[in-house]
Amino acid sequence: MGPRIGAVGEEPQMPDKETMAMTGTEDTPGGRASPDSQDLPPSVFHSIKFFVLCHSLLQLTQLMISGYLKSSISTVEKRFGLSSQTSGLLAAFNEVGNTALIVFVSYFGIRVHRPRLIGCGAILVALAGLLMTLPHFISEPYRYDGTSSGNMSQDFEASLCLPTTLVSVPASSSSNCSSHTEAKHLAVVGIMFMAQTLLGVGGVPIQPFGISYIDDFAHSNNSPLYLGILFAVTLMGPGLAFGLGGIMLRLYVDIDRMPEGGISLTSKDPRWVGAWWLGFLISAGTVALAAIPYFFFPREMPKEKQELHFRRRVLTVVSKDEDAPLGESPKKQGLAQIAPDLTMIQFIKVFPRVLLRTLRHPIFLLVVLSQVCMSCAVAGMATFLSKFLERQFSITASYANMLIGCLSIPGAIMGIVLGGILVKCLHLSPMRCSALCLLGALFSLLFSLPLFFMGCPTHQIAGITHQPGQPGLELFPSCMEPCSCPSDDFNPVCDSSTQVEYLTPCHAGCTNQAAPDKSHVSYTNCSCVTGSGPVQAGSCDSACSHLVLPFMVLISLGGVMASVIHTPSFMLILRGVKKEDKALAVGIQFMLLRVLAWMPSPVIHGSAIDTTCVHWAQSCGRRAVCRYYDNDLLRKRFIGLQFFFKVGSLACFALILAILRQQDKEEGTKVTCPGLQQQLLVSQPEKKPEESRV
């Protein structure tokens, strides 16, 4: 007999859905009423609407701090001498801690105080952000030339062509190295990897526990609206991360310890390093502030009793299970339902069997594979697009981040919303959802084709870009003989008349500096330059800088088409697996996306970028950051990887559509055959029984 609901004297009866919703027991764990649901004093922390607001801000700041590293990836490479492969591994490392623990969310979901655990995770994320800034404070000031850190004013004189008899040859970086220096470099890199791991661990409880908390205590008809608002606000996080990066990278990295007399660099100089650490400091502070309210929310709050009457006018991308019977709220079933009754050992034993059962479903497997391919393209683009734009079109890191934050991220949000509109308003069946995914992948692929041809080759660099068979630094042997040019120095200058770039004024044979002006520096009496004309400090401008906006427009349109796939592919998973396995299928989907896409893709793209390098800087005898790339090869391999992954996604969606069509034909045959058999039996009763079989 169920609990007694109603006035005194009424017969005990089982509460229906409407009664449970009014008493605050619907969708609460175990169907019990929230504690003191009738006697709680009015408090903002007992309002699910306030929880939705707080959680939207928290997820916004969490994605901002998670995406900020991608906006400053090239700056971190230059500051600490990292290759693209190492920086890609660093960017992917936050998925390691997240993936290792996300499986146990189903086990601990109902056993813990969810708001407090969310708050603890957010505090850990904030501490990880602070830890990311530590390498800046324990490292020596940035040295953008061959001089000591306390003698920045000698930048120009140190790079001039001086006779060997008049000046001692500067010590190379290898001779300045020691075991302490190398150990300090490894410690700095290790701290960043540890911070990224903690960033992933802290983010484990935030989204799953927040969504389940909203779904448990919101009115069943308001929950889709709240989740739609939550995701809409959350999607702005990466855009804010790139916008913040665009602002912070305009500031010099050592803004807190500027040398006397200032610096002789501008943001357009290839040696410029922006204040990458300041963005982590600001993001960590916002996450910490957003975490404070979670320590005041109750473990369980009164069930929301009133439905929002304007919810039908608001488009929500996230909807409840449409396959549930009318008037019945979908409940967690399968492993998600029995997990609270299992011990940890039993949960670990049950999970692999359910995982294999889910993976044997062909539609689920193909949808996940298609999402893995598309996520590989998105992860590589998000990590290295800023660096690609800097190298391909000779723009600053700040400008590249602004373009991404203003064009690509809003385009992705529009695509997700558009996909939700089409699925919701057109009531798309699984077959039509797969057709929509196929069209989205196809158009995203088509928008990628022109990108192969939008760019320019690397301009000529003396001693670097040379004809095959010629030694690199011996391109101008006669003019460099009197000079004592250090091989590892980097202070590029450009001969604007011939568009030839030199590693240093010394490599151009320049002996004098003209009118020392921090914004416009030039060198004269250059023996390696035609007519001994002056050369300007900085790299030569790209002839393709005007193509950066059309390039970004095509990237954004391709992102819109790829994002349209998000909602219909998600619906294919929800409608393609058994009802009791839906919660687990979604969890497996996100786990596989992390393991197969978001973790390896940045490393794959970084390794491909490294293969296009034509000149590496050396640090303590090891290969450090790349100074120059073969732009044509860089464009072909970076865009080629994008094209490859999008083709894989397109092929998977084509197979899904073919399978669904075949299943529809088989179902049609099953429906038609009994009717045909009955018609034959009625119209030809005189036939023998064996002749009437169909």
Side-chain angles (χ1 to χ4, degrees), residues 494-510:
C494 177
D495 179 10
S496 56
S497 61
T498 59
Q499 287 296 303
V500 176
E501 187 170 326
Y502 300 86
L503 290 177
T504 65
C506 181
H507 288 84
C510 303

Side-chain angles (χ1 to χ4, degrees), residues 201-245:
V201 172
V204 167
I206 293 178
Q207 186 175 28
F209 287 167
I211 292 176
S212 63
Y213 194 83
I214 293 172
D215 193 51
D216 282 347
F217 302 114
H219 191 282
S220 58
N221 292 331
N222 294 339
S223 180
L225 172 63
Y226 293 154
L227 295 181
I229 294 173
L230 174 67
F231 289 145
V233 175
T234 300
L235 287 174
M236 295 188 291
L240 291 180
F242 281 97
L244 182 63

Side-chain angles (χ1 to χ4, degrees), residues 638-659:
F638 185 75
I639 303 301
L641 273 175
Q642 298 287 307
F643 194 83
F644 171 77
F645 287 125
K646 290 180 180 180
V647 168
S649 180
L650 183 68
C652 289
F653 282 124
L655 288 175
I656 293 171
L657 185 60
I659 291 175

